Amino acid sequence: MQEKEWKDLAHIGLWVTDMEETKKFYQDILGFEAPTAKTVVDLESGVKTEIVFLQKGNLILECICQPGTNLPDRGRIEHIAIAAGNIEQAVETLLAKGIVFDGPIVEDKELWDKGVKYVTFRGPSGERLELNEVIR
């Protein structure tokens, strides 16, 4: 892939059990900042999901909390996000290599200053990977 398609690690998605405790730990103890956040409610199930991005330098954690639900047994890492300079071009390149995506590119204008585009797919062991382009 070319440099503009695939750039760097974007963030690590992390399941957490208590968002306030998580923010306090990462912000007050480790010195992270919280540049963006949102809450999503699934219309069918009514399940509320809190999402808070915590950043210190180049390290960004996407903390994901669904109060009252059990965390996955396989671990706390929800996904690994890879920064894309041009997500559409990166998707085309990966499609040509046989990658099957979990769905279409999603554009979310509520995160970061101007929004973000992302799409997910699976690695060979079922690990969840995300291409992520922060809109500048």
Side-chain angles (χ1 to χ4, degrees):
M1 295 178 94
Q2 298 176 5
E3 175 68 23
K4 62 184 173 183
E5 295 174 6
W6 187 279
K7 296 175 14 174
D8 212 339
L9 178 67
H11 63 264
I12 298 170
L14 181 67
W15 285 109
V16 301
T17 55
D18 183 313
M19 189 60 81
E20 291 308 311
E21 181 179 293
T22 298
K23 289 190 305 187
K24 184 175 181 178
F25 174 80
Y26 281 98
Q27 291 180 292
D28 297 349
I29 295 172
L30 298 181
F32 280 65
E33 295 179 10
T36 191
K38 73 183 271 187
T39 299
V40 178
V41 178
D42 183 284
L43 296 178
E44 289 183 26
S45 67
V47 172
K48 180 174 99 171
T49 304
E50 297 174 80
I51 301 168
V52 174
F53 283 83
L54 296 167
Q55 181 173 6
K56 183 167 178 119
N58 291 328
L59 175 58
I60 301 174
L61 300 176
E62 178 185 6
C63 298
I64 306 160
C65 184
Q66 291 179 336
T69 60
N70 293 325
L71 294 178
D73 292 333
R74 296 189 314 260
R76 304 298 185 241
I77 302 294
E78 205 281 331
H79 64 275
I80 298 171
I82 301 154
N86 181 324
I87 196 167
E88 290 84 2
Q89 190 173 9
V91 166
E92 284 182 32
T93 300
L94 291 175
L95 283 170
K97 293 182 178 189
I99 295 295
V100 176
F101 289 89
D102 296 333
I105 295 172
V106 175
E107 186 170 347
D108 187 337
K109 294 190 182 278
E110 294 179 27
L111 291 172
W112 302 107
D113 290 338
K114 296 181 181 177
V116 65
K117 296 182 204 177
Y118 63 90
V119 64
T120 60
F121 59 102
R122 304 291 168 157
S125 297
E127 64 272 25
R128 189 165 183 225
L129 302 169
E130 174 183 303
L131 288 177
N132 181 285
E133 180 183 350
V134 175
I135 301 168
R136 306 269 181 218

